[in-house]
Amino acid sequence: MYKRILTIQDISCVGQCSLTVALPILSAAGLETAILPSAVLSNHTGGFSGWTFTDLTEDLPKIRERWELEKVDFAAVYTGYLGSAKQIDYVKDIVKSRLVSGGRFIADPAMADNGKLYAGFDDNFVEAMKKLCFSADIILPNITEAAMLTKSEYKESYDKSYTDELTEKLLANGAKTIIFTGVSYKPETTGVLVVENGSPQYYEHRKIAGGCHGTGDVYASAFVGALENGFSAFDSAKIAADFTLECIEKTQGDSEHWYGVKFETALPSLIKALKLI
């Protein structure tokens, strides 16, 4: 079945993140991909000296109304970085209006990491994001975001009992399927913890020192691509993890390519993993 899906997040024109990552990865996964940009930036905000920013918040309801008139709908909706609580409210309306019956809503909270909210976000935004995530079929929080969504203490070092606690709280708040990203029980490894139907499964892989911009968006997009090709949540999580790791490996050693990962060079591996060739 040829599916049309929608992804809602910002466009950073340079920097290999958000929609400039999501659109090509989802397209490579054989999915017709519609986009709804929440903002347009000249480049992402990590490491550059400055950027331009155009807010598209008030365009979101206008676009929804046009889609309603044209009867455009989607088999899945995947959200990434959203700039404000008002945008989250508009996105909820779009999901309610344009997601087909039985379609999946996948939400990446995309609001915090390393124990801190991203610049420009506050407690009100977290409260709005809770409502969005707990209405979704699948959420993809990192440990920081999971702690904030459940008002839990953030821990840099933790064991399985801590992720069990976060899982219990997320499920109690209404989360359905949870994909915890960047779960690291040992310094030399990291992985993804998948909780589906209340049952946890963990996929561990090698940890590469030093983070790369945009890898969360690469991961989430590859996950959605696999999921919408019929793979289970756990198998989709594994495929996305392996793909993201390869993207990082292909970027290592290039000091001039500090602003993102060379995900384009790894797309053949993703297509093969999805059994599209």
Side-chain angles (χ1 to χ4, degrees), residues 34-49:
I35 64 169
L36 184 52
S38 57
V40 178
L41 292 81
S42 57
N43 44 270
H44 66 61
T45 60
F48 291 98
S49 61

Side-chain angles (χ1 to χ4, degrees), residues 129-202:
M129 183 57 73
K130 284 182 185 180
K131 294 176 183 177
L132 186 71
C133 285
F134 296 141
S135 71
D137 297 293
I138 300 174
I139 57 173
L140 294 95
N142 58 36
I143 292 295
T144 299
E145 290 160 347
M148 290 182 175
L149 289 171
T150 57
K151 293 186 177 179
S152 301
E153 177 190 0
Y154 167 73
K155 295 183 180 180
E156 188 171 348
S157 299
Y158 49 84
D159 58 17
K160 186 175 178 296
S161 65
Y162 179 63
T163 54
D164 285 345
E165 176 188 337
L166 292 177
T167 296
E168 290 175 8
K169 290 181 178 179
L170 287 169
L171 293 174
N173 277 281
K176 300 174 183 68
T177 297
I178 309 163
I179 315 296
F180 287 99
T181 59
V183 177
S184 183
Y185 296 121
K186 296 181 289 187
E188 66 276 11
T189 62
T190 188
V192 57
L193 175 64
V194 177
V195 183
E196 189 173 21
N197 298 320
S199 178
Q201 289 180 280
Y202 182 59

Side-chain angles (χ1 to χ4, degrees), residues 103-116:
R104 277 185 287 218
F105 172 33
I106 304 107
D108 179 357
M111 63 179 179
D113 203 2
N114 299 315
K116 296 179 180 179

Side-chain angles (χ1 to χ4, degrees), residues 5-9 19 22-23 26 33-37 76-80:
I5 72 169
L6 170 66
T7 181
I8 310 173
Q9 46 193 305
L19 282 179
L23 177 57
L26 292 167
T33 306
I35 64 169
L36 184 52
V77 176
Y78 148 48
T79 59

Side-chain angles (χ1 to χ4, degrees), residues 12-272:
S12 290
C13 298
V14 171
Q16 294 175 303
C17 67
S18 303
L19 282 179
T20 54
V21 163
L23 177 57
I25 289 177
L26 292 167
S27 297
L31 303 168
E32 179 187 346
T33 306
I35 64 169
L36 184 52
S38 57
V40 178
L41 292 81
S42 57
N43 44 270
H44 66 61
T45 60
F48 291 98
S49 61
W51 53 87
T52 66
F53 178 87
T54 302
D55 184 5
L56 300 179
T57 298
E58 296 309 322
D59 288 271
L60 302 186
K62 297 174 187 177
I63 292 170
R64 174 184 58 78
E65 290 169 6
R66 190 70 247 171
W67 286 344
E68 287 174 352
L69 288 171
E70 301 291 347
K71 295 182 170 53
V72 176
D73 53 24
F74 305 99
V77 176
Y78 148 48
T79 59
Y81 182 94
L82 300 171
S84 67
K86 191 172 186 179
Q87 283 191 356
I88 291 174
D89 287 338
Y90 286 152
V91 167
K92 286 161 61 180
D93 291 339
I94 291 165
V95 172
K96 183 178 179 180
S97 168
R98 306 323 309 151
L99 182 63
V100 301
S101 176
R104 277 185 287 218
F105 172 33
I106 304 107
D108 179 357
M111 63 179 179
D113 203 2
N114 299 315
K116 296 179 180 179
L117 283 168
Y118 295 151
F121 292 159
D122 57 17
D123 291 342
N124 290 331
F125 183 86
V126 175
E127 290 302 312
M129 183 57 73
K130 284 182 185 180
K131 294 176 183 177
L132 186 71
C133 285
F134 296 141
S135 71
D137 297 293
I138 300 174
I139 57 173
L140 294 95
N142 58 36
I143 292 295
T144 299
E145 290 160 347
M148 290 182 175
L149 289 171
T150 57
K151 293 186 177 179
S152 301
E153 177 190 0
Y154 167 73
K155 295 183 180 180
E156 188 171 348
S157 299
Y158 49 84
D159 58 17
K160 186 175 178 296
S161 65
Y162 179 63
T163 54
D164 285 345
E165 176 188 337
L166 292 177
T167 296
E168 290 175 8
K169 290 181 178 179
L170 287 169
L171 293 174
N173 277 281
K176 300 174 183 68
T177 297
I178 309 163
I179 315 296
F180 287 99
T181 59
V183 177
S184 183
Y185 296 121
K186 296 181 289 187
E188 66 276 11
T189 62
T190 188
V192 57
L193 175 64
V194 177
V195 183
E196 189 173 21
N197 298 320
S199 178
Q201 289 180 280
Y202 182 59
Y203 180 61
E204 185 179 66
H205 58 81
R206 181 169 67 93
K207 185 176 184 178
I208 298 177
C212 292
H213 294 291
T215 50
D217 299 328
V218 168
Y219 180 89
S221 301
F223 171 83
V224 173
L227 190 75
E228 292 304 310
N229 269 283
F231 289 87
S232 69
F234 184 65
D235 286 342
S236 297
K238 289 171 59 178
I239 289 169
D242 291 341
F243 173 65
T244 304
L245 183 63
E246 182 176 347
C247 292
I248 297 171
E249 289 172 341
K250 287 182 176 292
T251 312
Q252 280 187 309
D254 187 348
S255 60
E256 293 185 0
H257 203 96
W258 53 267
Y259 48 82
V261 290
K262 300 176 181 178
F263 73 92
E264 300 92 343
T265 63
L267 284 174
S269 296
L270 177 64
I271 293 168
K272 186 175 180 182

